[in-house]
């Protein structure tokens, strides 16, 4: 864990973007296609912490970007080259474009200034999407990564962010995966090697201090 001063420097509101990954109704909502993942995201407090971070980002002037995974009803452009994709196509709840399944889930509140990037393919919210270009245009240096799942999309996002030259910061209590004990193992053995691991409370404390300094 970094010192508070180091974390505050990394999370400068002028050069930080908060990324929420697949925090959509069809994934973490009450009518999720993946009820076990949705249950863990809620019972662990991860979804609530994502909501707290989004609200804190809005207050601190930190840009928020929501990454949504969806597919066309006809499946055009979607991957079929892994068991995960084939299984997803058979789920009773589909992440179809324009449906409630791909809306950001409560209690996260989306502000007018938030950006939403939707992808029709792949495993990563960064690779092959507009996210990298948007981050560079926003002057992003640190990418704060939250959401689901710690099994696939979150590590993909972290690795891609690092490969693209961003500092990846992960609040460990604002991501979730299945089973529930997998997330701390992933953080400890993989993500901690390439990303700054922190907590929701520490991130919010950094932004609160930044607001005090700005007003002084």
């Amino acid at each position: 864990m970094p010192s508070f001063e180091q974390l505050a420097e990394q999370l400068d509101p002028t050069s930080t973007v908060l990324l929420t990954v697949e925090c959509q109704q069809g994934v973490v909502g009450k009518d999720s296609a993946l009820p076990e993942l949705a249950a863990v995201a809620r019972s662990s407090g991860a979804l609530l912490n994502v909501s707290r971070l989004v609200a804190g980002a809005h207050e601190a002037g930190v840009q928020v970007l929501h990454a949504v995974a969806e597919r066309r009803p006809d499946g055009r452009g979607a991957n079929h080259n892994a068991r995960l994709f084939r299984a997803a196509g058979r789920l009773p709840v589909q992440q179809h474009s324009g449906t409630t399944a791909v809306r950001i889930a409560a209690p996260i509140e989306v502000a007018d200034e938030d950006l939403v990037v939707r992808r029709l393919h792949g495993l990563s919210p960064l690779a092959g999407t507009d996210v990298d270009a948007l981050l560079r245009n926003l002057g992003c240096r640190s990418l704060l990564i939250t959401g689901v799942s710690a099994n696939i999309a979150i590590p993909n996002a972290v690795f891609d962010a690092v490969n693209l030259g961003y500092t990846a910061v992960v609040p460990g209590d604002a991501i979730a995966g299945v089973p529930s004990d997998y997330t701390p193992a992933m953080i400890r053995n993989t993500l901690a090697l390439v990303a700054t691991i922190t907590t929701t409370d520490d991130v919010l404390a950094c932004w609160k201090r930044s607001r005090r300094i700005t007003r002084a």
Side-chain angles (χ1 to χ4, degrees):
M1 297 280 280
S3 68
F4 186 81
E5 290 71 21
Q6 290 172 327
L7 184 63
E9 183 178 356
Q10 287 185 354
L11 295 178
D12 180 345
T14 64
S15 58
T16 298
V17 172
L18 169 59
L19 176 70
T20 76
V21 179
E22 297 181 25
C23 291
Q24 57 205 72
Q25 292 186 31
V27 176
V28 295
K30 295 180 180 178
D31 297 320
S32 170
L34 304 165
E36 184 181 2
L37 176 59
V40 170
R42 291 180 176 273
S43 64
S44 68
L47 186 60
L48 177 59
N49 284 331
V50 174
S51 175
R52 292 174 61 209
L53 287 165
V54 169
H58 292 157
E59 291 180 10
V62 173
Q63 179 66 54
V64 178
L65 194 159
H66 305 281
V68 174
E70 57 183 54
R71 59 185 288 143
R72 289 167 48 111
D74 61 11
R76 286 182 181 273
N79 288 67
H80 303 282
N81 57 336
R83 186 176 68 174
L84 173 68
F85 301 121
R86 295 190 291 272
R90 297 191 296 269
L91 292 172
V93 177
Q94 291 292 304
Q95 315 298 319
H96 285 164
S97 302
T99 66
T100 58
V102 297
R103 295 178 184 171
I104 301 302
I108 299 169
E109 294 189 3
V110 181
D112 290 341
E113 62 267 24
D114 292 1
L115 297 172
V116 180
V117 175
R118 304 178 183 278
R119 76 178 195 274
L120 294 172
H121 64 88
L123 299 170
S124 171
L126 273 75
T129 72
D130 292 335
V131 171
D132 180 39
L134 292 173
L135 294 177
R136 295 189 187 282
N137 288 344
L138 291 164
C140 176
R141 295 179 60 190
S142 293
L143 187 62
L144 186 64
I145 299 169
T146 66
V148 296
S149 74
N151 304 75
I152 296 174
I154 294 298
N156 263 269
V158 171
F159 296 149
D160 286 345
V162 172
N163 285 333
L164 289 167
Y166 301 104
T167 295
V169 182
V170 179
D173 56 357
I175 65 171
V178 289
S180 58
D181 59 358
Y182 180 78
T183 299
M186 166 60 77
I187 292 171
R188 181 175 59 254
N189 296 305
T190 303
L191 300 186
L193 301 178
V194 293
T196 297
I197 307 301
T198 185
T199 66
T200 296
D201 285 345
D202 283 351
V203 172
L204 295 176
C206 286
W207 288 343
K208 184 176 181 180
R209 188 182 77 163
S210 176
R211 292 200 301 275
R212 287 201 305 266
I213 293 173
T214 301
R215 292 169 183 165

